[in-house]
């Protein structure tokens, strides 16, 4: 049974509609081919279950080489390891493709934050990425500061020298009366299958404009005052109960360029620890902190690269099926569920296909993107270089040769279906491909135009790019961009299943008679740089040989 | 409706039996008095709801003065604050009563642990209490060491100098597919009401004997080798997902005396961070750590004290009703749910009674115990001094004057009933007292002989000592003895309710015609010192005036 309904329709009626729509969109011969190649799938499942390397790969990407902040030394080490491993597995054309400029490299080498008064207490906190460290170990009073309007500056002028500035208001810190970790229920999947096409979720809602200028002014004021550091309370949802979210600087506070560098150290504390500081200050009891944050900027190159590997096709080798995931992460955990799990799944899918000896007709190409966390930068650069620039929609020859791009980036949960990205003709194809995986619990299609990750770069130029429906596990409650995002948060069975599905779908796409059905081409759209990006957008991508 | 069944009986039959039993045990006049004094309870509820100070008190015990490890500087500051506050509220006879020897004071002033290779990474970890710090910032390789038998020493001899010893095997680190925070369900309470009398839970199961000698030898070996520190994986259940449990040294590793001091630093790491170290080492990749642990021993006094305060009685002032909770905590959080919540509840109950202007017939005395975490040491010393020594059961005059002792120490969850401690005659009394609190969800009695905290000191000499059935919340899943045990983990409504219940029960007990019904006196029992205790047992307790 496939869970799949068109907006407003009942499931059965919708299935019929979808089939008709699909039949109109692609040749009948292709439709006949959209049934699972069970022999191939048997071999894929066999290799993926019996000889799985996905957890070992995950450990190398996280424990040995993580976290993988874009352009950090660890990202480069992880990318070098991945290329070596892909080559060792026998994959072809393993190489990097440069894009940029991205901005500076950055790594935190030491963070120690403690309260000294009223009592000694170790504080759990992390610097934001691309913020400067302290000048060694520094100590001083903490003060709660509220500067929200121009009038507020005068209240603090001349008072903040040598102080730690507690900038956040407090918020409620609740306990988990509901489980933070969950799988989709039947009801939840049913609801997804009824989704409306308009329910896209964008990553950057915008609206930073006015705030940016004010934040810039406030940072300059802090610098002029000579504060020791800005201290923030970790944002809600995933900022307490042992979790802390620290990402990059807010727009206006600074960016990844030399000239835009954040002027003072910025750290984020666990909700409860920040709360303690405020409660002490409320009682008119002084708070003294000591902090030692050592972070290093790396200016070797402002460019970075994506990692590419292939299994060459046979009679349709010039046509390409792509699979991919972003390889970069934030810096406080080891970037396990965001997104080493998916990088490991993609590498494992390639390993399975290579080892199984299956011969795909089209070339299967894997990409591990960087700069995703800063606005899908790596995948957008790749798409612009190879397929089309969404701002002018002048199609390059490769645009006609890409069948489909399959992406994973919603944590480590098992695939439960596919978001169709509004492409109704894709429904019968995925329906056929999912059939052998109903016993994995994968049987739902949603018309949802899901957002927030690299398939959007493809979708933006009219190429079929898809992202999977996954069990949420604790992605949105605990691990997404937090210090808890480490190896243990991945569930081996889920990753093994997902690698098998990716390998199988890629193989089916490679051997399908026709290219994957497409939506109509979008109109050109003017560029809107995401906040926090360097002044220049990433513009060029060049193929380089394997290091 | 009261949930209350005797072993084997149905609820209704059991209630009848209990009533009969109670009728036999206490005079009929007393029985007639066992109904709630609704006027007094109205005044108590009014004060406890409208003018509650319980969260403010909690903040002073945790944020300002916590954590409160026994004999640490913070414990002393917290005790001084409590006495000042109790005096300010108008309570009588506020003083401390010394007991000891307990052992040395100890405080951790700085802890910073990080991985330097293969990647820089901040490690979440804490020293065990009463372990020495490192000699400033020290760096070295980490090695996994398994010394479990005498034969194992030779494998490592001469190899561990300047190394960090990873001593724990790994374990599974799971996600919370079930909520870590919960309240009792109807079913759960129903089951409790059917409990058997034999289901006591002791704190010290014993069996450390053989292991102790080996551990001592192993520690001496580490010292001789010149290791930098012993590193352990935080134990399961509450040792990952952001939580770390670090308590005191294991028996054999050392103790709280000068002569028994743990010879090398010992730290406990978060499950996932320790797991990372092991996974890196398994891949034959070297792990380098840097650690800086600064802890200070305080040898001002080896004795400590309990804090006492009273509301003097009227016509029966020489008889006493006691309420109490342990005041001390472990050191990694601020000891909020274990056990500042209960100390705050007891202080609040005294404040409510004092402010309400009610005149208890008997004296109501509150005790805040210390040394509970090391084996109920403070309450045992007090009971021995005032009532009887359980080893000889020679009763002191005060033994005949104590009506009942009410204790709280199972986290901050709302009271849902009372553990009867095998005292069946107590059932109808508590049944009557609970009636006005059915709307608090408090309507269950369990015959269970519950253990693990200070009411046991009273029970051990035949005095009625009771502990409440409480909503578990996240006590056993997250906060008990962990770094997450901080202010935010308390739920204000629950603490307000509990303070009102304690004030009300204490008042009812103070104004009851007869003393609280007792079980038969126990036989004398030889002393069995808990592991980790200093050579001499706490022997003396002396009343001192308020500092």
């Amino acid at each position: 049974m496939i869970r799949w309904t068109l907006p407003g329709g009942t499931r059965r009626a919708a299935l019929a509609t979808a089939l008709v729509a699909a039949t109109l969109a692609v040749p009948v011969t292709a439709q006949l081919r959209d049934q699972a190649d069970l022999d191939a799938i048997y071999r894929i499942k066999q290799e993926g279950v019996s000889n799985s390397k996905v957890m070992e790969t995950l450990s190398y990407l996280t424990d040995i080489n993580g976290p993988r902040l874009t352009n950090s030394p660890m990202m480069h080490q992880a990318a070098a390891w991945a290329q070596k491993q892909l080559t060792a597995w026998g994959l072809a054309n393993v190489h990097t493709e440069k894009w940029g400029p991205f901005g500076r490299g950055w790594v935190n080498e030491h963070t120690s934050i403690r309260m000294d008064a009223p009592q000694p207490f170790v504080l759990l906190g992390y610097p934001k990425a691309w913020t400067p460290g302290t000048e060694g170990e520094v100590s001083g009073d903490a003060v709660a500061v509220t500067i929200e309007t121009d009038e507020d500056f005068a209240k603090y002028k001349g008072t903040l020298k040598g102080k730690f500035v507690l900038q956040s208001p407090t918020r409620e810190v609740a306990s988990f009366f509901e489980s933070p970790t969950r799988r989709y229920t039947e009801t939840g999947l049913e609801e997804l299958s009824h989704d409306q096409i308009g329910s896209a979720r964008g990553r950057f809602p915008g609206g930073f404009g006015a705030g940016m200028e004010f934040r810039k002014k406030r940072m300059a004021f802090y610098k002029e005052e000579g504060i020791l550091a800005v201290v923030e309370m970790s944002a809600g949802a995933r900022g307490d109960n042992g979790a802390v979210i620290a990402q990059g600087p807010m727009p206006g506070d600074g960016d990844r360029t030399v000239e835009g560098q954040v002027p003072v150290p910025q750290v984020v504390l666990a909700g409860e620890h920040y709360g303690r500081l405020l409660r002490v200050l409320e009682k008119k009891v002084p708070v003294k902190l000591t902090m030692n944050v050592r972070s290093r900027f790396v200016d070797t190159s402002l460019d970075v690269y994506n990692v590419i590997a292939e299994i060459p096709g046979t009679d349709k080798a010039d046509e390409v099926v792509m699979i991919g995931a972003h390889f970069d992460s934030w810096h406080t955990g080891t970037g396990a569920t965001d997104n080493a799990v998916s990088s490991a799944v993609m590498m494992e899918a390639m390993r399975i296909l290579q080892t199984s000896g299956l011969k795909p007709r089209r070339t299967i190409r894997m990409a591990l993107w960087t700069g995703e966390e800063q606005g899908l930068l790596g995948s957008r650069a790749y798409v612009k270089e190879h397929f089309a620039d969404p701002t002018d929609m002048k199609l390059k020859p490769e645009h006609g040769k890409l069948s489909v791009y399959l992406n994973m980036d919603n944590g480590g949960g098992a695939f439960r279906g596919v978001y169709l990205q509004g492409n109704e003709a894709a429904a019968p194809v995925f329906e056929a491909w999912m059939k052998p995986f109903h016993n994995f619990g994968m049987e739902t299609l949603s018309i949802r135009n899901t957002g927030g990750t690299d398939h959007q770069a493809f979708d933006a130029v009219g190429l079929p790019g898809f992202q999977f429906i996954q069990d949420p596990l604790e992605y949105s409650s605990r691990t997404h961009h937090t210090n808890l995002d480490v190896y243990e948060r991945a569930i081996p069975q889920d990753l093994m299943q997902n690698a098998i599905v990716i390998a199988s779908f890629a193989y089916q796409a490679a051997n399908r008679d026709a290219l994957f059905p497409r939506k109509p081409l979008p109109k050109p759209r003017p560029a809107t740089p995401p906040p926090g990006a360097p002044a220049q957008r990433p513009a060029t991508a060049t193929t380089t040989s394997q290091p």
Side-chain angles (χ1 to χ4, degrees), chain A:
Chain A
M1 173 199 88
I2 291 279
R3 262 193 223 85
W4 157 236
T5 47
L6 281 176
T10 68
R11 178 189 296 160
R12 211 165 299 177
L15 251 180
T17 315
L19 281 163
V20 168
T23 309
L24 294 176
V26 291
V28 174
T29 50
Q31 280 310 305
L32 293 177
R33 288 297 306 236
D34 283 323
Q35 50 190 33
D37 178 342
L38 294 177
D39 175 59
I41 288 163
Y42 175 83
R43 291 161 76 174
I44 288 169
K45 279 189 174 174
Q46 200 60 25
E47 179 63 28
V49 168
S50 308
N51 302 319
S52 177
K53 297 277 182 288
V54 73
M55 291 307 286
E56 188 182 320
T57 301
L58 181 67
S59 183
Y60 274 98
L61 296 181
T62 55
D63 297 323
I64 304 284
N65 295 300
R68 302 166 311 286
L69 188 75
T70 297
N71 209 13
S72 68
M74 292 94 106
M75 186 222 85
H76 293 292
Q77 289 173 45
W81 177 85
Q83 290 173 77
K84 201 177 129 192
Q85 186 61 74
L86 290 161
T87 305
W89 286 337
L91 294 169
N93 201 14
V94 177
H95 68 283
T96 59
E97 298 196 19
K98 198 163 79 172
W99 62 269
F102 165 78
R104 314 174 80 184
W106 180 90
V107 58
N108 175 250
E109 294 180 330
H110 175 83
T111 296
S112 155
I113 310 171
R114 69 169 191 261
M115 184 165 84
D116 289 318
Q119 306 299 348
F121 194 68
V122 174
L123 298 171
L124 178 63
Y126 295 89
K128 291 188 182 183
W130 293 290
T131 57
T134 55
E135 293 181 8
E137 186 173 277
V138 294
S139 298
D141 287 326
V143 285
V145 169
T146 307
I147 300 180
E148 299 292 352
T149 67
D150 281 335
E151 288 68 50
D152 292 332
F153 288 104
K155 295 182 208 164
Y156 298 99
K157 195 159 171 56
T159 70
L160 300 180
K161 188 173 173 59
K163 302 270 170 66
F164 291 101
V165 168
L166 308 186
Q167 182 172 262
S168 311
T170 193
R171 64 170 172 82
E172 198 195 354
V173 171
S175 298
F176 285 108
F177 278 98
E178 290 187 4
S179 162
T181 316
R182 64 188 186 89
R183 292 196 181 275
Y184 265 119
T185 59
E186 292 299 305
T187 314
L189 290 168
E190 185 69 28
E191 278 169 12
L192 265 184
S193 78
H194 286 279
D195 235 335
Q196 305 296 310
I197 190 164
S199 53
R201 295 176 305 156
R203 168 152 300 198
F204 300 110
F208 286 110
M212 267 184 74
E213 280 311 303
F214 186 79
R215 293 188 79 97
K216 194 169 176 178
K217 197 169 157 184
R218 188 169 62 181
M219 270 291 174
F221 175 74
Y222 289 152
K223 177 74 178 170
E224 195 183 300
E225 284 282 309
I227 73 167
L228 295 176
V230 172
V231 182
E232 293 184 3
M233 184 179 198
S234 187
R238 297 185 302 278
D240 43 57
N241 268 288
V244 178
I245 303 184
Q247 307 179 141
M250 286 284 284
D253 284 353
D255 60 34
R256 302 186 296 275
T257 62
V258 173
E259 58 278 14
Q261 189 181 307
V262 178
V264 295
Q266 264 192 308
V267 304
V268 181
L269 292 188
E272 296 91 337
H273 290 184
Y274 188 91
R276 182 177 185 184
L277 304 187
L278 287 192
R279 288 190 300 276
V280 173
L281 289 176
E282 274 165 16
K283 297 182 181 69
K284 313 289 178 203
V285 174
V287 170
K288 283 186 190 297
L289 303 182
T290 291
M291 197 179 287
N292 191 349
V293 178
R294 192 170 76 240
S295 296
R296 186 163 57 88
F297 287 90
V298 186
D299 293 336
T300 318
S301 166
L302 300 182
D303 290 332
V304 284
Y305 47 80
N306 303 310
V307 173
I308 309 290
E310 291 184 349
I311 297 172
T314 50
D315 65 314
K316 287 177 183 289
D318 63 326
E319 292 182 357
V320 176
V321 169
M322 285 191 73
I323 64 174
H326 78 83
F327 191 69
D328 62 306
S329 75
W330 286 108
H331 58 294
T332 62
T334 55
T337 70
D338 190 16
N339 193 23
V341 286
S342 307
S343 297
V345 159
M346 295 300 159
M347 288 178 67
E348 175 71 357
M350 294 299 271
R351 188 195 67 77
I352 290 170
L353 286 167
Q354 179 72 19
T355 311
S356 68
L358 292 166
K359 294 293 168 206
R361 298 177 66 196
R362 293 185 181 84
T363 294
I364 297 176
R365 179 185 300 159
M366 183 199 69
L368 301 174
W369 313 115
T370 51
E372 191 273 349
E373 296 295 0
Q374 290 74 36
L376 324 182
L377 303 181
S379 59
R380 282 177 170 164
Y382 184 91
V383 164
K384 187 175 167 186
E385 173 72 15
H386 287 268
F387 306 118
D389 182 340
T391 64
D392 61 21
M393 280 304 289
K394 289 182 188 150
L395 307 188
K396 302 201 173 188
E398 288 182 69
H399 192 280
K401 298 289 187 182
L402 183 80
S403 177
V404 65
Y405 169 68
L406 301 172
N407 189 74
M408 175 175 160
D409 178 21
N410 267 327
F415 290 158
R416 305 302 299 272
V418 186
Y419 293 111
L420 294 174
Q421 218 65 25
N423 181 346
E424 301 187 2
V429 183
F430 282 123
E431 188 186 332
W433 293 357
M434 285 201 304
K435 213 166 252 173
F437 302 108
H438 285 197
N439 64 340
F440 284 8
M442 189 184 188
E443 45 184 358
T444 299
L445 295 178
S446 168
I447 195 69
R448 185 182 290 191
N449 189 12
T450 194
T453 184
D454 298 298
H455 67 295
Q456 285 190 300
F458 292 79
D459 193 63
V461 298
L463 289 171
F466 297 97
Q467 165 87 346
F468 293 86
I469 298 167
Q470 292 179 253
D471 273 334
L473 302 183
E474 56 195 343
Y475 191 61
S476 61
S477 61
R478 297 293 278 164
T479 64
H480 185 222
H481 297 186
T482 77
N483 60 322
L484 298 184
D485 191 9
V486 294
Y487 177 89
E488 278 81 353
R489 305 274 68 89
I491 297 177
Q493 177 74 20
D494 291 42
L495 299 188
M496 286 164 71
Q497 287 186 188
N498 290 1
I500 287 166
V501 169
I502 292 285
S504 165
F505 279 28
Y507 182 76
Q508 295 277 155
N511 284 23
R512 193 174 190 266
D513 278 345
L515 292 176
F516 200 90
R518 296 184 176 192
K519 295 187 286 190
L521 284 181
K523 294 200 178 87
R525 284 182 297 184
T528 51
Q536 314 99 300
R537 293 294 310 286
T540 58
T542 19
T543 306
T544 56
S545 62
Q546 186 187 336

